Amino acid sequence: MLNRITKKPVLIMSVIILILSIALLGCSNDSVENEGTTGEDGNVITFAWPRDIGELNPHMYNPSQLFSTSMVYEPLVSYGDGGELKPHLAESWDISADGKEYVFHLRQDVKFSDGTSFNAEIVKKNFDAILNNVDLHSWLGFISKIAQTEVVDEHTFKLTLTEPYYPTIQELAVVRPVRFLGEAGFPEDGDTSKGVEKPVGTGPWVLEEYKVDEYAIFTRNENYWGEVPSVEQIKVKVVPDAETRVLAFEKGDLDLLYGEGVISIDSFNQLESTGSYETSISEPVATRQLVMNTNKEQLSDERVRQALHYGFNKEALVEGVTSGLEEKADYILPTNLPYTSEVAATKVDYDVEKAVQLLDEAGWKLPKGKTVREKDGQPLEIELMYNSAESIQKTMAETLQSEWAGLGVKLNIVGVELTTQVERFKANEFEMNFFSNYGAPYDPHTFVNVVATEGFGFNEAISAYPNKEEILNQIAQVTKTTDETERQQLYTEILGSLQEQGAIVPISYIKKIAIYQKDVSDFTFPANRDEHPFTGISVK
């Protein structure tokens, strides 16, 4: 029997390697005088992005940018505040008692931007195009579990899985690959992995004009089925260099700067201090973490890991390095994500005496006349790897090096390129490393699944946990349960145990920033980390 569900806070669990597409740092000094010919006057928002928007293929990944993809293409289900799943192109859905069958009741008033109808046939065609390249999309957990796609009638679509997988609905809310391309966008052979004919979606925006690596102009979809945007056009200027973006904004060529890392913290604070602009800072979107590899002898003892956590002033570090744009993190995932608010892990406050006591108890003693602790003739010396292009990681590493030296711990810090950092982490070739989780709509499911999967860094890093197998079993169980209470309990235990044993140290909560001209109003941050920010925005 099917139970009708229209709104339900559900989360995904997926095997995923994401080098986040929202990394925004650029490196050149290109001019921002690149202009389109459309809509020189009128109700327009102009903002800068570090790279080209890409071909806007909803079924593929880079170089297509997440924010622009979400402007044109829409999901069956959208992700709201607190993880609430809300009807979108599907006005409701039914889930069978065994968790294997999903029946979606589609909106009947939806047209693609070219005037063609959105219906169950085009939903199936999109799903089948994705499934024809299943290996490309296997990071999304439910994709590999799809047994059948079926058109029940014109406005009813059925998805059947091989096994129960509760995060299915949540995974349908991500920006790619399950968003819907109109018939005219499909190549003749239907294989969208090779590209699309043109970006035809049901979304509130239509790509009007585009010049590669210079600009893109989106015009509002006047026939949009939902609330039509108040802004007529969104102009995206491609400006790779952060300093150039700031200068263009100060000059008035840009209405909005938005995202993570779009400008430096110093630049944001300087612009804010003038009082000439409006600013917004989002709720936490992710946690900046320090991962300690328990396979390494110096970090195999929980007391050492806990001592290091007690042994630095987290609040002062975060305030000093980020000037208040991030906040001290007490938990390994932000508590505004579903299933995270009940985690009962101990909050660790700065306590040098406690840190010294734990190190002594673990047998790491400070010999007279020396500055580094030793045990069995071996020094307490640890290497911390950081992304050399990430100034926040570098400064935090230097601060930890200084603070831990006072405990008798020698911290060697090593800056590497991002690709090297990722490769070494996955290969378990590290002692300490910086990491951040994926945020909404991916976590906590994605984070715990990455912890459980061999070859991603975490699974090996927690090898010294005496209850490692129990944690892995709980993670395997949480995706299959159809009981909400049981699911909450499992997440509470998993996240609490991971943090309590000290291999994953929360440092700060990462946030998005927005700064905009005084005539821009009604700006809000989307609940989905990857969505565009233009819903409801207006110009006075």
Side-chain angles (χ1 to χ4, degrees), residues 315-467:
E315 187 167 8
L317 179 146
V318 174
E319 176 65 29
V321 175
T322 74
S323 300
L325 290 188
E326 296 182 11
E327 64 181 87
K328 177 176 74 75
D330 290 318
Y331 302 102
I332 59 176
L333 294 182
T335 56
N336 60 337
L337 295 175
Y339 304 105
T340 59
S341 61
E342 297 182 16
V343 175
T346 303
K347 292 184 180 180
V348 175
D349 295 319
Y350 183 45
D351 189 336
V352 173
E353 290 185 5
K354 179 72 171 177
V356 169
Q357 176 188 340
L358 287 167
L359 290 172
D360 286 339
E361 290 176 359
W364 292 95
K365 305 293 185 179
L366 187 61
K368 188 175 181 179
K370 293 190 176 182
T371 59
V372 178
R373 290 175 179 268
E374 295 180 0
K375 181 179 179 179
D376 301 327
Q378 297 297 315
L380 186 48
E381 186 172 348
I382 305 164
E383 179 185 276
L384 169 58
M385 175 174 62
Y386 69 89
N387 177 3
S388 57
E390 231 272 31
S391 61
I392 290 178
Q393 286 188 19
K394 181 177 186 294
T395 307
M396 286 186 171
E398 291 170 344
T399 303
L400 291 171
Q401 183 183 52
S402 175
E403 292 218 58
W404 286 343
L407 300 176
V409 178
K410 184 178 182 183
L411 183 68
N412 300 316
I413 58 175
V414 178
V416 298
E417 292 184 354
L418 177 60
T419 53
T420 301
Q421 184 183 32
V422 173
E423 289 169 358
R424 284 186 56 185
F425 186 57
K426 289 170 59 180
N428 198 40
E429 295 174 355
F430 74 100
E431 294 180 3
M432 286 188 188
N433 183 40
F434 286 105
F435 183 86
S436 66
N437 63 290
Y438 307 107
Y442 305 101
D443 288 327
H445 39 275
T446 297
F447 177 72
V448 299
N449 202 51
V450 166
V451 169
T453 305
E454 293 183 1
F456 289 89
F458 281 101
N459 185 291
E460 296 78 10
I462 64 170
S463 292
Y465 281 22
N467 66 334

Side-chain angles (χ1 to χ4, degrees), residues 165-205:
Y165 183 73
Y166 97 81
T168 296
I169 294 296
Q170 182 104 16
E171 295 198 353
L172 288 169
V174 304
V175 169
R176 56 194 183 195
V178 192
R179 296 210 173 185
F180 299 95
L181 178 69
E183 183 68 41
F186 279 85
E188 187 173 344
D189 64 1
D191 186 0
T192 53
S193 71
K194 300 174 183 176
V196 298
E197 291 296 311
K198 52 184 174 180
V200 180
T202 62
W205 303 98

Side-chain angles (χ1 to χ4, degrees), residues 96-141:
S96 62
D98 65 2
K100 294 182 181 181
E101 295 181 357
Y102 293 75
V103 176
F104 297 91
H105 305 278
L106 308 179
R107 294 188 184 276
Q108 300 184 27
D109 58 344
V110 177
K111 300 285 187 182
F112 285 96
S113 59
D114 65 354
T116 57
S117 295
F118 172 79
N119 53 40
E121 290 285 354
I122 197 67
V123 170
K124 177 175 169 58
K125 184 166 185 173
N126 276 263
F127 265 98
D128 290 349
I130 293 164
L131 294 173
N132 283 338
N133 296 282
V134 68
D135 289 346
L136 290 172
H137 313 300
S138 60
W139 65 268
L140 203 58

